Amino acid sequence: MATLNVVTGISSIAQDAETLHLAFKADMATLIAPIFYSPGADAEALREAFKGLGTDEDTIISILGHRNASQRQQIIRAYRDLFQGDLIKSLESELSGEFERAVYRWMLEPADRDAVLANVAIKHGSKHYNVIVEIVSVLSPEEVLEVRRAYHNRYKRSLEEEVAAHTTGNLRQLLVGLVTAFRYGGDEINANLAKTEADILHQSIKEKKGNHEEAIRILTTRSKAQLLATFNRYRDDHGTSITKKLLNDVSDDFHKALYTAIRCITDHQKYYEKVLRNAIKRIGTEHADAVTRVVVSRAEKDLKDIKELYYKRNSVHLEDAIAKEFHGDYKKFILTLLGKEDY
Amino acid sequence: MATLNVVTGISSIAQDAETLHLAFKADMATLIAPIFYSPGADAEALREAFKGLGTDEDTIISILGHRNASQRQQIIRAYRDLFQGDLIKSLESELSGEFERAVYRWMLEPADRDAVLANVAIKHGSKHYNVIVEIVSVLSPEEVLEVRRAYHNRYKRSLEEEVAAHTTGNLRQLLVGLVTAFRYGGDEINANLAKTEADILHQSIKEKKGNHEEAIRILTTRSKAQLLATFNRYRDDHGTSITKKLLNDVSDDFHKALYTAIRCITDHQKYYEKVLRNAIKRIGTEHADAVTRVVVSRAEKDLKDIKELYYKRNSVHLEDAIAKEFHGDYKKFILTLLGKEDY
């Protein structure tokens, strides 16, 4: 059984502190993946799990829920070499519902997954554009380029082309600007500029209607370090944070996108905590999608930090909230990615 | 003497057809660079050329005018290793005027050179923005990304950040859109879209004032293949080419940028031919800069094609026109890059 292999793998590794450290991709990741594993054995165990009338979901969860991004790609290749099959397609036909969607997203390479998420958001319309804002505002400039390349490969057009074709006016300018930005990544800040541009942002938010060209320019071209300095200056000079001020206006799509961008740039972990909090409160397919998005996107990055923020804010552990609100294989899979073994 | 080495190198190579082919970087390039050369010997010959009261410009031209981009970088490294010196700085202090600027630009790596050209254009103001439009419209999407990376490294801010901070309104939207575009590079075209968008462009050009948001969206997001289909459709449906139509409006900076972008996307060689034609007619430092820009940018790419277009259009060889209008070391250097040896 592959489950046993995985568990045994981890146990034997645990005896060696040096190796144990390597077994966890990043300190703030929740994913528990072994160093030693066999892509071929995994592919065979998955093939076995698909056989017969039912599907052995537990095996699927115990394998794929414990493999990091590059391991998952190796398993896809091994499956193709051994069985001339497309593992992702097999998973899609064997699984269903929220669980299927979560596994599908988990199996895609990160940039490709974000390209898919952005495309789905465009198809679903303006209510979902925050997903695009989130992706391009949280990732590093080079990571955003990878998503844009993946979008070309998958959809034979550019991400900005689709975003621009579906929007107009301020919203278009802001979204296209965020998608196409290649921000400078250095730490240098210009304090005078921060003051001037904090004032411009304040003026722009006060004028609820009209042209927000200058606010859009600032948000879509300045480096993250410079923007943080500008937001801090905003709070110092205007007595409230820019996001609090914006909250009064989050009525139209433009202000919603502006608000999301500023939150993601300021503190993406706090932003993700809120996405999870809102999604868990309002159960339903769409909300499960939001949970899936955050968990598969951050399980190998900083989901441990986001879990801690969730606990601080809600006095409930994220795992317990998810265990209470969701069920079945979907629940098991999400809890596995959250690093919880005893569900 | 390095000059002899180069010539000898080429002569001995000429006996071997296979090798000869390799000696020329691209069929349509004008640069003549040898396969066999020694970065160390080149660095030493250059060091020797700098010594004493005068400078031996002929040696500098005969070496650097016959080395391709990667060879020039190796010479810079050899010079640093042998003499702990910065070759580019030495060249700047030894040379002067148009010749110095041409050699300086030639010595930069292509993406870095374009970053410098874009920065100079921003500093010189709106009259020079066509240089930025040219760079980002002629290069491939991945090459534009390289220029944007080089801009980060050199200026500690993003290219779009500077462009946006120096412009407003339609011009800003167009320039930032062109700089930040990552167009899809495939050949697929949508004929219906070409018709719809040819009409939108026609409508936008007819309304000289006002909002050109849709025209900007089309120009800055569609793939080059799709845009060519749209421009062709424009000609079929409206009886004249879009650039001819635009020519009546090239009065303000926005329409000038629009015109340049369309020309560069449609046929960048024809565009470059015109830049050279205009620059050679109106002699002066600024115009020498335009000649330098086209020659150093295209000598390793397609300057041979551009030379042919120049001859077809002007019934004068480009080399002869340059020999007539320019003089001294600058003339010798430019003619060398044009592949002419007997000046």
Side-chain angles (χ1 to χ4, degrees), chain B residues 211-235:
Chain B
N211 190 323
H212 296 284
E213 202 188 328
E214 282 295 294
I216 294 168
R217 171 185 66 77
I218 295 166
L219 263 301
T220 59
T221 66
R222 294 304 184 195
S223 73
K224 288 190 180 178
Q226 181 66 34
L227 284 175
L228 290 183
T230 301
F231 300 154
N232 283 330
R233 187 69 200 221
Y234 187 104
R235 188 165 25 216

PDB file of all heavy atoms in Angstrom, chain B residues 211-235:
ATOM      1  N   ASN B 211     -11.754  59.836 -26.337  1.00  0.00           N
ATOM      2  CA  ASN B 211     -11.229  58.652 -25.699  1.00  0.00           C
ATOM      3  C   ASN B 211     -10.863  57.603 -26.752  1.00  0.00           C
ATOM      4  O   ASN B 211     -11.701  57.212 -27.558  1.00  0.00           O
ATOM      5  CB  ASN B 211     -12.321  58.123 -24.769  1.00  0.00           C
ATOM      6  CG  ASN B 211     -11.818  57.047 -23.875  1.00  0.00           C
ATOM      7  OD1 ASN B 211     -11.000  56.229 -24.294  1.00  0.00           O
ATOM      8  ND2 ASN B 211     -12.279  57.028 -22.651  1.00  0.00           N
ATOM      9  N   HIS B 212      -9.638  57.153 -26.723  1.00  0.00           N
ATOM     10  CA  HIS B 212      -9.227  56.138 -27.684  1.00  0.00           C
ATOM     11  C   HIS B 212      -8.985  54.799 -26.992  1.00  0.00           C
ATOM     12  O   HIS B 212      -8.153  54.008 -27.416  1.00  0.00           O
ATOM     13  CB  HIS B 212      -7.989  56.604 -28.443  1.00  0.00           C
ATOM     14  CG  HIS B 212      -8.235  57.808 -29.281  1.00  0.00           C
ATOM     15  ND1 HIS B 212      -8.901  57.763 -30.478  1.00  0.00           N
ATOM     16  CD2 HIS B 212      -7.937  59.112 -29.083  1.00  0.00           C
ATOM     17  CE1 HIS B 212      -8.981  58.975 -31.001  1.00  0.00           C
ATOM     18  NE2 HIS B 212      -8.411  59.821 -30.163  1.00  0.00           N
ATOM     19  N   GLU B 213      -9.735  54.577 -25.916  1.00  0.00           N
ATOM     20  CA  GLU B 213      -9.535  53.398 -25.079  1.00  0.00           C
ATOM     21  C   GLU B 213      -9.570  52.087 -25.865  1.00  0.00           C
ATOM     22  O   GLU B 213      -8.736  51.213 -25.650  1.00  0.00           O
ATOM     23  CB  GLU B 213     -10.626  53.397 -24.005  1.00  0.00           C
ATOM     24  CG  GLU B 213     -10.265  52.584 -22.795  1.00  0.00           C
ATOM     25  CD  GLU B 213     -11.435  52.435 -21.828  1.00  0.00           C
ATOM     26  OE1 GLU B 213     -12.276  53.353 -21.729  1.00  0.00           O
ATOM     27  OE2 GLU B 213     -11.490  51.381 -21.190  1.00  0.00           O
ATOM     28  N   GLU B 214     -10.536  51.963 -26.760  1.00  0.00           N
ATOM     29  CA  GLU B 214     -10.675  50.699 -27.486  1.00  0.00           C
ATOM     30  C   GLU B 214      -9.534  50.498 -28.489  1.00  0.00           C
ATOM     31  O   GLU B 214      -9.011  49.388 -28.624  1.00  0.00           O
ATOM     32  CB  GLU B 214     -12.022  50.645 -28.207  1.00  0.00           C
ATOM     33  CG  GLU B 214     -13.180  50.310 -27.285  1.00  0.00           C
ATOM     34  CD  GLU B 214     -13.053  48.909 -26.708  1.00  0.00           C
ATOM     35  OE1 GLU B 214     -13.133  47.938 -27.455  1.00  0.00           O
ATOM     36  OE2 GLU B 214     -12.851  48.790 -25.483  1.00  0.00           O
ATOM     37  N   ALA B 215      -9.141  51.579 -29.164  1.00  0.00           N
ATOM     38  CA  ALA B 215      -8.017  51.465 -30.103  1.00  0.00           C
ATOM     39  C   ALA B 215      -6.751  51.073 -29.339  1.00  0.00           C
ATOM     40  O   ALA B 215      -5.977  50.219 -29.786  1.00  0.00           O
ATOM     41  CB  ALA B 215      -7.811  52.782 -30.841  1.00  0.00           C
ATOM     42  N   ILE B 216      -6.565  51.677 -28.175  1.00  0.00           N
ATOM     43  CA  ILE B 216      -5.394  51.362 -27.353  1.00  0.00           C
ATOM     44  C   ILE B 216      -5.432  49.907 -26.893  1.00  0.00           C
ATOM     45  O   ILE B 216      -4.430  49.199 -26.946  1.00  0.00           O
ATOM     46  CB  ILE B 216      -5.312  52.324 -26.139  1.00  0.00           C
ATOM     47  CG1 ILE B 216      -5.058  53.755 -26.624  1.00  0.00           C
ATOM     48  CG2 ILE B 216      -4.241  51.879 -25.149  1.00  0.00           C
ATOM     49  CD1 ILE B 216      -5.248  54.820 -25.557  1.00  0.00           C
ATOM     50  N   ARG B 217      -6.624  49.460 -26.472  1.00  0.00           N
ATOM     51  CA  ARG B 217      -6.753  48.057 -26.057  1.00  0.00           C
ATOM     52  C   ARG B 217      -6.316  47.117 -27.180  1.00  0.00           C
ATOM     53  O   ARG B 217      -5.523  46.191 -26.967  1.00  0.00           O
ATOM     54  CB  ARG B 217      -8.202  47.730 -25.677  1.00  0.00           C
ATOM     55  CG  ARG B 217      -8.429  46.232 -25.455  1.00  0.00           C
ATOM     56  CD  ARG B 217      -9.880  45.878 -25.190  1.00  0.00           C
ATOM     57  NE  ARG B 217     -10.780  46.110 -26.309  1.00  0.00           N
ATOM     58  CZ  ARG B 217     -10.886  45.329 -27.383  1.00  0.00           C
ATOM     59  NH1 ARG B 217     -10.135  44.248 -27.500  1.00  0.00           N
ATOM     60  NH2 ARG B 217     -11.721  45.629 -28.355  1.00  0.00           N
ATOM     61  N   ILE B 218      -6.800  47.370 -28.389  1.00  0.00           N
ATOM     62  CA  ILE B 218      -6.484  46.487 -29.513  1.00  0.00           C
ATOM     63  C   ILE B 218      -4.980  46.495 -29.792  1.00  0.00           C
ATOM     64  O   ILE B 218      -4.339  45.445 -29.859  1.00  0.00           O
ATOM     65  CB  ILE B 218      -7.285  46.923 -30.762  1.00  0.00           C
ATOM     66  CG1 ILE B 218      -8.785  46.713 -30.497  1.00  0.00           C
ATOM     67  CG2 ILE B 218      -6.822  46.161 -32.002  1.00  0.00           C
ATOM     68  CD1 ILE B 218      -9.694  47.398 -31.495  1.00  0.00           C
ATOM     69  N   LEU B 219      -4.418  47.686 -29.910  1.00  0.00           N
ATOM     70  CA  LEU B 219      -2.992  47.810 -30.264  1.00  0.00           C
ATOM     71  C   LEU B 219      -2.065  47.221 -29.201  1.00  0.00           C
ATOM     72  O   LEU B 219      -0.963  46.765 -29.514  1.00  0.00           O
ATOM     73  CB  LEU B 219      -2.624  49.283 -30.468  1.00  0.00           C
ATOM     74  CG  LEU B 219      -2.613  49.835 -31.880  1.00  0.00           C
ATOM     75  CD1 LEU B 219      -1.623  49.063 -32.735  1.00  0.00           C
ATOM     76  CD2 LEU B 219      -3.984  49.802 -32.531  1.00  0.00           C
ATOM     77  N   THR B 220      -2.478  47.269 -27.944  1.00  0.00           N
ATOM     78  CA  THR B 220      -1.557  46.861 -26.876  1.00  0.00           C
ATOM     79  C   THR B 220      -1.774  45.429 -26.395  1.00  0.00           C
ATOM     80  O   THR B 220      -0.959  44.928 -25.628  1.00  0.00           O
ATOM     81  CB  THR B 220      -1.658  47.798 -25.652  1.00  0.00           C
ATOM     82  OG1 THR B 220      -2.999  47.774 -25.157  1.00  0.00           O
ATOM     83  CG2 THR B 220      -1.273  49.221 -26.016  1.00  0.00           C
ATOM     84  N   THR B 221      -2.854  44.772 -26.829  1.00  0.00           N
ATOM     85  CA  THR B 221      -3.050  43.407 -26.307  1.00  0.00           C
ATOM     86  C   THR B 221      -3.087  42.320 -27.384  1.00  0.00           C
ATOM     87  O   THR B 221      -2.730  41.181 -27.091  1.00  0.00           O
ATOM     88  CB  THR B 221      -4.337  43.284 -25.448  1.00  0.00           C
ATOM     89  OG1 THR B 221      -5.490  43.482 -26.269  1.00  0.00           O
ATOM     90  CG2 THR B 221      -4.325  44.281 -24.297  1.00  0.00           C
ATOM     91  N   ARG B 222      -3.497  42.646 -28.605  1.00  0.00           N
ATOM     92  CA  ARG B 222      -3.617  41.581 -29.606  1.00  0.00           C
ATOM     93  C   ARG B 222      -2.247  41.088 -30.078  1.00  0.00           C
ATOM     94  O   ARG B 222      -1.281  41.843 -30.098  1.00  0.00           O
ATOM     95  CB  ARG B 222      -4.432  42.076 -30.800  1.00  0.00           C
ATOM     96  CG  ARG B 222      -5.898  42.393 -30.492  1.00  0.00           C
ATOM     97  CD  ARG B 222      -6.629  41.216 -29.887  1.00  0.00           C
ATOM     98  NE  ARG B 222      -8.046  41.524 -29.688  1.00  0.00           N
ATOM     99  CZ  ARG B 222      -8.844  40.791 -28.920  1.00  0.00           C
ATOM    100  NH1 ARG B 222      -8.380  39.740 -28.255  1.00  0.00           N
ATOM    101  NH2 ARG B 222     -10.113  41.117 -28.782  1.00  0.00           N
ATOM    102  N   SER B 223      -2.208  39.841 -30.521  1.00  0.00           N
ATOM    103  CA  SER B 223      -0.959  39.282 -31.055  1.00  0.00           C
ATOM    104  C   SER B 223      -0.609  40.002 -32.359  1.00  0.00           C
ATOM    105  O   SER B 223      -1.479  40.580 -33.020  1.00  0.00           O
ATOM    106  CB  SER B 223      -1.132  37.791 -31.327  1.00  0.00           C
ATOM    107  OG  SER B 223      -1.948  37.587 -32.465  1.00  0.00           O
ATOM    108  N   LYS B 224       0.670  39.954 -32.733  1.00  0.00           N
ATOM    109  CA  LYS B 224       1.074  40.627 -33.966  1.00  0.00           C
ATOM    110  C   LYS B 224       0.363  40.020 -35.179  1.00  0.00           C
ATOM    111  O   LYS B 224      -0.039  40.741 -36.090  1.00  0.00           O
ATOM    112  CB  LYS B 224       2.596  40.563 -34.137  1.00  0.00           C
ATOM    113  CG  LYS B 224       3.308  41.476 -33.137  1.00  0.00           C
ATOM    114  CD  LYS B 224       4.787  41.636 -33.422  1.00  0.00           C
ATOM    115  CE  LYS B 224       5.408  42.563 -32.369  1.00  0.00           C
ATOM    116  NZ  LYS B 224       6.856  42.737 -32.533  1.00  0.00           N
ATOM    117  N   ALA B 225       0.197  38.707 -35.203  1.00  0.00           N
ATOM    118  CA  ALA B 225      -0.494  38.062 -36.325  1.00  0.00           C
ATOM    119  C   ALA B 225      -1.932  38.583 -36.429  1.00  0.00           C
ATOM    120  O   ALA B 225      -2.420  38.901 -37.526  1.00  0.00           O
ATOM    121  CB  ALA B 225      -0.491  36.545 -36.142  1.00  0.00           C
ATOM    122  N   GLN B 226      -2.606  38.672 -35.289  1.00  0.00           N
ATOM    123  CA  GLN B 226      -3.980  39.169 -35.292  1.00  0.00           C
ATOM    124  C   GLN B 226      -4.021  40.633 -35.751  1.00  0.00           C
ATOM    125  O   GLN B 226      -4.893  41.028 -36.528  1.00  0.00           O
ATOM    126  CB  GLN B 226      -4.579  39.033 -33.885  1.00  0.00           C
ATOM    127  CG  GLN B 226      -6.027  39.507 -33.757  1.00  0.00           C
ATOM    128  CD  GLN B 226      -7.004  38.643 -34.544  1.00  0.00           C
ATOM    129  OE1 GLN B 226      -6.820  37.426 -34.679  1.00  0.00           O
ATOM    130  NE2 GLN B 226      -8.033  39.267 -35.112  1.00  0.00           N
ATOM    131  N   LEU B 227      -3.072  41.422 -35.304  1.00  0.00           N
ATOM    132  CA  LEU B 227      -3.046  42.839 -35.702  1.00  0.00           C
ATOM    133  C   LEU B 227      -2.809  42.984 -37.209  1.00  0.00           C
ATOM    134  O   LEU B 227      -3.445  43.814 -37.867  1.00  0.00           O
ATOM    135  CB  LEU B 227      -1.974  43.599 -34.914  1.00  0.00           C
ATOM    136  CG  LEU B 227      -2.353  43.930 -33.461  1.00  0.00           C
ATOM    137  CD1 LEU B 227      -1.177  44.568 -32.735  1.00  0.00           C
ATOM    138  CD2 LEU B 227      -3.575  44.853 -33.400  1.00  0.00           C
ATOM    139  N   LEU B 228      -1.926  42.153 -37.758  1.00  0.00           N
ATOM    140  CA  LEU B 228      -1.701  42.222 -39.213  1.00  0.00           C
ATOM    141  C   LEU B 228      -2.997  41.908 -39.956  1.00  0.00           C
ATOM    142  O   LEU B 228      -3.341  42.581 -40.929  1.00  0.00           O
ATOM    143  CB  LEU B 228      -0.585  41.259 -39.629  1.00  0.00           C
ATOM    144  CG  LEU B 228       0.817  41.647 -39.167  1.00  0.00           C
ATOM    145  CD1 LEU B 228       1.853  40.662 -39.698  1.00  0.00           C
ATOM    146  CD2 LEU B 228       1.175  43.072 -39.619  1.00  0.00           C
ATOM    147  N   ALA B 229      -3.735  40.900 -39.475  1.00  0.00           N
ATOM    148  CA  ALA B 229      -5.022  40.562 -40.099  1.00  0.00           C
ATOM    149  C   ALA B 229      -5.976  41.748 -39.988  1.00  0.00           C
ATOM    150  O   ALA B 229      -6.713  42.065 -40.940  1.00  0.00           O
ATOM    151  CB  ALA B 229      -5.616  39.320 -39.433  1.00  0.00           C
ATOM    152  N   THR B 230      -5.963  42.411 -38.851  1.00  0.00           N
ATOM    153  CA  THR B 230      -6.841  43.574 -38.638  1.00  0.00           C
ATOM    154  C   THR B 230      -6.457  44.728 -39.571  1.00  0.00           C
ATOM    155  O   THR B 230      -7.319  45.366 -40.176  1.00  0.00           O
ATOM    156  CB  THR B 230      -6.773  44.018 -37.162  1.00  0.00           C
ATOM    157  OG1 THR B 230      -7.176  42.920 -36.341  1.00  0.00           O
ATOM    158  CG2 THR B 230      -7.671  45.215 -36.893  1.00  0.00           C
ATOM    159  N   PHE B 231      -5.153  44.982 -39.706  1.00  0.00           N
ATOM    160  CA  PHE B 231      -4.711  46.069 -40.591  1.00  0.00           C
ATOM    161  C   PHE B 231      -5.056  45.747 -42.053  1.00  0.00           C
ATOM    162  O   PHE B 231      -5.439  46.641 -42.824  1.00  0.00           O
ATOM    163  CB  PHE B 231      -3.200  46.320 -40.461  1.00  0.00           C
ATOM    164  CG  PHE B 231      -2.758  46.707 -39.067  1.00  0.00           C
ATOM    165  CD1 PHE B 231      -1.455  46.438 -38.642  1.00  0.00           C
ATOM    166  CD2 PHE B 231      -3.626  47.329 -38.165  1.00  0.00           C
ATOM    167  CE1 PHE B 231      -1.027  46.785 -37.362  1.00  0.00           C
ATOM    168  CE2 PHE B 231      -3.212  47.687 -36.876  1.00  0.00           C
ATOM    169  CZ  PHE B 231      -1.908  47.412 -36.478  1.00  0.00           C
ATOM    170  N   ASN B 232      -4.907  44.495 -42.443  1.00  0.00           N
ATOM    171  CA  ASN B 232      -5.276  44.101 -43.807  1.00  0.00           C
ATOM    172  C   ASN B 232      -6.765  44.309 -44.049  1.00  0.00           C
ATOM    173  O   ASN B 232      -7.185  44.813 -45.089  1.00  0.00           O
ATOM    174  CB  ASN B 232      -4.903  42.641 -44.067  1.00  0.00           C
ATOM    175  CG  ASN B 232      -3.415  42.473 -44.321  1.00  0.00           C
ATOM    176  OD1 ASN B 232      -2.768  43.393 -44.837  1.00  0.00           O
ATOM    177  ND2 ASN B 232      -2.872  41.329 -43.962  1.00  0.00           N
ATOM    178  N   ARG B 233      -7.537  43.895 -43.062  1.00  0.00           N
ATOM    179  CA  ARG B 233      -8.983  44.072 -43.165  1.00  0.00           C
ATOM    180  C   ARG B 233      -9.346  45.557 -43.250  1.00  0.00           C
ATOM    181  O   ARG B 233     -10.247  45.947 -43.985  1.00  0.00           O
ATOM    182  CB  ARG B 233      -9.638  43.433 -41.928  1.00  0.00           C
ATOM    183  CG  ARG B 233     -11.146  43.398 -41.985  1.00  0.00           C
ATOM    184  CD  ARG B 233     -11.592  42.411 -43.059  1.00  0.00           C
ATOM    185  NE  ARG B 233     -12.953  42.687 -43.458  1.00  0.00           N
ATOM    186  CZ  ARG B 233     -13.865  41.738 -43.688  1.00  0.00           C
ATOM    187  NH1 ARG B 233     -13.543  40.460 -43.573  1.00  0.00           N
ATOM    188  NH2 ARG B 233     -15.073  42.069 -44.043  1.00  0.00           N
ATOM    189  N   TYR B 234      -8.621  46.357 -42.511  1.00  0.00           N
ATOM    190  CA  TYR B 234      -8.819  47.815 -42.540  1.00  0.00           C
ATOM    191  C   TYR B 234      -8.662  48.333 -43.971  1.00  0.00           C
ATOM    192  O   TYR B 234      -9.489  49.080 -44.475  1.00  0.00           O
ATOM    193  CB  TYR B 234      -7.802  48.482 -41.610  1.00  0.00           C
ATOM    194  CG  TYR B 234      -8.002  49.981 -41.419  1.00  0.00           C
ATOM    195  CD1 TYR B 234      -8.556  50.474 -40.243  1.00  0.00           C
ATOM    196  CD2 TYR B 234      -7.647  50.891 -42.409  1.00  0.00           C
ATOM    197  CE1 TYR B 234      -8.756  51.828 -40.052  1.00  0.00           C
ATOM    198  CE2 TYR B 234      -7.840  52.249 -42.231  1.00  0.00           C
ATOM    199  CZ  TYR B 234      -8.390  52.718 -41.062  1.00  0.00           C
ATOM    200  OH  TYR B 234      -8.580  54.068 -40.881  1.00  0.00           O
ATOM    201  N   ARG B 235      -7.574  47.894 -44.609  1.00  0.00           N
ATOM    202  CA  ARG B 235      -7.310  48.339 -45.975  1.00  0.00           C
ATOM    203  C   ARG B 235      -8.415  47.870 -46.922  1.00  0.00           C
ATOM    204  O   ARG B 235      -8.892  48.626 -47.763  1.00  0.00           O
ATOM    205  CB  ARG B 235      -5.949  47.824 -46.446  1.00  0.00           C
ATOM    206  CG  ARG B 235      -5.534  48.405 -47.790  1.00  0.00           C
ATOM    207  CD  ARG B 235      -4.062  48.198 -48.099  1.00  0.00           C
ATOM    208  NE  ARG B 235      -3.536  47.046 -47.386  1.00  0.00           N
ATOM    209  CZ  ARG B 235      -2.314  46.969 -46.882  1.00  0.00           C
ATOM    210  NH1 ARG B 235      -1.486  47.971 -47.022  1.00  0.00           N
ATOM    211  NH2 ARG B 235      -1.912  45.888 -46.253  1.00  0.00           N
TER     212      ARG B 235
END
